[in-house]
Amino acid sequence: MRVKLAIISFTTAIPVLLAGCGSGDEAAGTAAAGESSTINIGFLAPAPRNDGGFTQYALAGVQAAVDADPKLKLTSIVDNASESQEQIEGLQSLAAKNKVVVADGAVLNKAVAVVAPKYPDTHFVLIASDLEALADNVSSVTVAVGLNAMVAGAVASNESKSKKIGMIAGPEVPSSTAWYYGMAQGAKIENPQTQVAQAYTNDYNDVGKAKQAAEAMIANGVDQILSDLDSGSEGIYQAADGKAGTGVYNVFALHCDENKNIIGSGIVNWSDVLKTAVTEAAAGKLASGAISFGLKSGALSFQFCPGKGTDEQKALAEKITKDISDGTVTPGDGVLLPKPSYAFEQR
C-alpha cells in the first residue's frame, strides 16, 4: 500500500538522520534562533526512499553533502509522492521551510515549474529532467545515461544468441528513452542485425508489471534485458529465471548478488552527482539552467559483475567508451537529452 504523503523527520534505513522540520514561523531556509547560518535542505521523490535504486542513491548523496558541511541540515523528506497534486503540495511545504529543495525524479518537472515561481528565495534542484523554460531559481541536473546505454547495448548484442535485446523502464520519460536509443545505437555498432525492443510499465517499483513485460519480451525471442527500474527489477529477475540464457543488465549500480542472470550495469554515480549539486546549491554556486554530467565527469561507467563478461566483451566495452569519449563515435538521435533553449553546461 502506498504511504500517505507526509513530511517525515526520523532516522531511515539509508541511513539518514533528520532534525525536526521546524515551525511555520521560521523563514525559508533559516534554522531556529542561534543557528541562523544553517542552510536547510528538503528532499522530495515520487518513489520510496529505500527503493534500492535511484531515490536511495540520490538521498545518500544529499546526506553526504550534509555530512561534509556542518552548516547544512537535511530537515525534511517527502517520498512516495506519486500523484501530481501530492508532488505540488509536497514541494510547496518543503519550499516554505528550506533554502534548497531537491526534486528527485524526471516526472517532477511539471510540479517544479508550477511551484518554483512562488518561492523565488528557494533554490530548486531538479534531478533527471529539464524545464521547458528557464527559471532563475531552478537548476536541472541530468546525466548522459544514453552514453552508458551505448556500451550496454553493444555488450548485450554480443552476448545475445537471438540478436534480440530489450529495455524495460517505468514512465516513458526522456531519461528512460535515452537508455533505449543508446542501447539501439550500441547494439548496431556491435552487430547491425541486432533488434532492440522497449517497454514501459509506468511504475519503477511494480514487480508484477515488470515481470509481465519481461515475459512478453522473452516470448518474442529477446534474451538480454536492461532494467531501468528500481525494486521492480525483481520482476525481470523472475522472468529471466524462468528462461535459461537470459541476461539482465541494471542501471545506476551493480546488483550482482540479487540475481545470477545479471551481467553488469551502466553505472550512474547519482550519489556523487547529488552531493556535488547540493553542495554547490547551498553555497550559491550552482547556476540556474541545465547541467549535464557526462563521461568526463566520472559520473558514468559500464561495469561487469565478477566472473561475467568475456574478454571480447570487456575489450568491446573499453573501445566504445573510448570512442565516445574522444568523439570517434557520435551519439545518435535520442541518446542524449535534448539541449534546452536556455543556459546549458556539459560537465
Side-chain angles (χ1 to χ4, degrees):
M1 182 176 71
R2 184 170 56 84
V3 178
K4 184 178 180 181
L5 174 68
I7 296 180
I8 307 169
S9 298
F10 53 82
T11 305
T12 72
I14 294 182
V16 177
L17 291 174
L18 299 181
C21 294
S23 72
D25 295 332
E26 294 171 9
T30 303
E35 298 181 7
S36 59
S37 63
T38 300
I39 298 173
N40 289 346
I41 299 167
F43 180 94
L44 182 142
R49 68 185 70 184
N50 59 347
D51 61 1
F54 177 72
T55 303
Q56 185 165 332
Y57 293 116
L59 190 51
V62 176
Q63 184 64 39
V66 171
D67 290 342
D69 188 340
K71 296 191 300 296
L72 307 186
K73 179 185 289 185
L74 177 56
T75 66
S76 314
I77 296 175
V78 176
D79 63 351
N80 279 308
S82 59
E83 303 297 331
S84 59
Q85 190 58 38
E86 290 178 323
Q87 293 162 3
I88 290 172
E89 292 175 358
L91 288 175
Q92 289 177 158
S93 296
L94 293 174
K97 296 180 175 69
N98 296 281
K99 187 66 175 178
V100 176
V101 171
V102 177
D104 186 53
V107 298
L108 299 175
N109 57 344
K110 293 182 180 179
V112 170
V114 169
V115 175
K118 302 176 183 178
Y119 298 88
D121 294 330
T122 299
H123 192 141
F124 292 81
V125 183
L126 172 62
I127 305 300
S129 183
D130 294 326
L131 295 181
E132 293 184 359
L134 177 68
D136 290 338
N137 62 331
V138 178
S139 302
S140 57
V141 176
T142 62
V143 294
V145 293
L147 302 181
N148 251 354
M150 290 171 66
V151 184
V155 171
S157 175
N158 185 272
E159 178 72 16
S160 175
K161 302 298 188 293
S162 65
K163 295 305 174 188
K164 292 182 179 181
I165 67 176
M167 186 277 304
I168 299 175
E172 189 173 355
V173 294
S175 57
S176 289
T177 59
W179 282 104
Y180 164 72
Y181 287 113
M183 281 192 75
Q185 184 175 356
K188 296 298 183 184
I189 292 173
E190 195 279 330
N191 189 316
Q193 304 304 314
T194 299
Q195 301 174 34
V196 185
Q198 59 181 322
Y200 300 90
T201 67
N202 203 39
D203 191 311
Y204 291 111
N205 300 292
D206 192 309
V207 174
K209 288 181 179 179
K211 182 179 180 180
Q212 184 178 26
E215 288 176 338
M217 281 191 178
I218 292 170
N220 287 323
V222 169
D223 63 0
Q224 307 294 310
I225 302 175
L226 182 139
S227 173
D228 182 18
L229 298 171
D230 294 326
S231 55
S233 294
E234 177 60 30
I236 298 177
Y237 303 156
Q238 293 174 11
D241 284 339
K243 183 67 173 180
T246 301
V248 180
Y249 305 80
N250 293 124
V251 301
F252 305 142
L254 283 171
H255 296 288
C256 305
D257 58 345
E258 293 185 0
N259 188 264
K260 66 181 185 299
N261 300 297
I262 298 173
I263 305 295
S265 179
I267 301 292
V268 178
N269 197 332
W270 277 115
S271 293
D272 279 359
V273 170
L274 267 292
K275 179 182 179 182
T276 298
V278 168
T279 299
E280 292 184 10
K285 296 180 180 180
L286 190 67
S288 59
I291 302 166
S292 174
F293 286 75
L295 287 168
K296 293 182 179 180
S297 71
L300 306 175
S301 64
F302 182 86
Q303 297 181 25
F304 291 92
C305 288
K308 298 294 180 69
T310 64
D311 290 343
E312 179 184 1
Q313 289 167 358
K314 292 175 182 178
L316 177 64
E318 290 180 5
K319 182 179 187 306
I320 293 183
T321 299
K322 177 182 178 299
D323 288 348
I324 294 171
S325 299
D326 65 18
T328 301
V329 172
T330 301
D333 293 342
V335 175
L336 299 178
L337 295 179
K339 287 185 180 180
S341 59
Y342 49 84
F344 175 81
E345 177 187 353
Q346 181 65 64
R347 296 191 180 186

